[in-house]
Every structure is written in structure tokens, then in C-alpha cells.
Amino acid sequence: INLVFEYKGDDIAEEELQSTKRGLAHAQSLIPGRTAIGLFDAAIYNEHDPVMVANGVASLIDDTGGGSYVLLCPSDDGDSIDDGDDIVALCEELSYLDVAGPTMKSRLVVSAVSDDQVEECLSIGVSKYVVGDASALDRLQAVVAEQGKRLVSRR
């Protein structure tokens, strides 16, 4: 079991942020290494400063000890992420941060939105991706092969 807690940005109510911190810290105490922070709302990518979002995620990790993974998976509800530039910008900012435990790059799990976005994320050092269907998997495999790498599955 992995538990995912959604990070909704730096403009949420303090009470909601504290509730998320308590939940993440409690889950981390019960199942260490099996918690994740998810960034699902497209507004996080479109409307928020990537530096502020990255700092908020790092604070959440530092304050709770949780966040074995950070999921950058914007939903398709309303605002869309067409080319992935906003995801790349957030990946870059997150990758600069130093947090306790594993590196931030090793925690990132990113939606494969476009070939260019995957190429840029690979160059940053992101190695975990989310795909929606077989054609997206084929595109991911082609981009990875162009970079001289290969897909590896865990079972």
C-alpha cells in the first residue's frame, strides 16, 4: 500500500495544510517509505510559481518525513497541460532542492505528456513516468530509446 496526499499549493487555508501535514506524518509513522505527495490540480502548474510550489513540497517532506514519491500528474479536468512545459519547469525547480533522505530527482514520478517534455525531464534526471495507454507507452519507449536508455519494469 502507498498513500498519496495531494498538495494543493501555497494559497490553501492554513488549517487544510496542517491537516495534510498531520495525515502525511501519521501515515509515514505507520508505513514508512510508502507515502507520496501528489500534484494533480492543473492550476498548480498553470497558475502557481514553480519555485513556490517546489518550496512548499520540500517543506512538506521536511516537516513530515513523508513523500517517498512526488507525483507530477495533472488531471485533465478543465485546465489542460498540452505541451508539458509547466511540468518541466516544476521538475527543474524540484530537482534543485536538497531534502533529507533520497534525492528529489529519485522521488519524482511524472506524467508523460509529450515527447519533448519526456526528453527534457530525462535530461534533468527524472526516471519514473506515468502513461495513460499503450500508445503513450510506445511513445515513451521511443523517446527513451532515442536517449540511449531503455525501459525497465519492476515486479
Side-chain angles (χ1 to χ4, degrees):
I1 294 178
N2 285 296
L3 293 178
V4 180
F5 291 83
E6 184 173 6
Y7 179 74
K8 296 181 180 179
D10 55 349
D11 60 352
I12 62 171
E14 184 63 25
E15 183 178 308
E16 188 174 355
L17 179 60
Q18 292 306 319
S19 175
T20 300
K21 285 183 179 183
R22 284 191 302 275
L24 186 57
H26 183 64
Q28 182 66 13
S29 71
L30 295 175
I31 51 172
R34 308 294 279 175
T35 60
I37 299 168
L39 289 84
F40 305 119
D41 187 353
I44 289 282
Y45 304 89
N46 295 330
E47 301 169 13
H48 293 254
D49 178 6
V51 173
M52 298 302 292
V53 173
N55 286 335
V57 170
S59 292
L60 201 52
I61 291 170
D62 289 340
D63 292 348
T64 64
S68 302
Y69 296 100
V70 177
L71 309 175
L72 277 62
C73 302
S75 67
D76 260 345
D77 302 339
D79 297 328
S80 67
I81 305 285
D82 293 327
D83 59 8
D85 288 343
D86 295 321
I87 294 173
V88 171
L90 188 51
C91 282
E92 287 175 336
E93 294 304 329
L94 285 164
S95 70
Y96 297 142
L97 298 175
D98 186 26
V99 293
T103 65
M104 187 62 84
K105 287 179 191 179
S106 71
R107 298 172 192 246
L108 294 177
V109 181
V110 179
S111 285
V113 174
S114 71
D115 292 357
D116 289 340
Q117 174 251 333
V118 171
E119 285 179 22
E120 290 185 51
C121 288
L122 279 169
S123 71
I124 293 168
V126 175
S127 62
K128 298 175 195 76
Y129 295 89
V130 176
V131 294
D133 55 31
S135 65
L137 179 59
D138 291 340
R139 283 192 340 266
L140 176 65
Q141 188 169 10
V143 171
V144 168
E146 285 175 14
Q147 299 290 319
K149 301 177 189 310
R150 64 185 178 96
L151 295 180
V152 178
S153 66
R154 288 190 191 174
R155 293 187 187 225

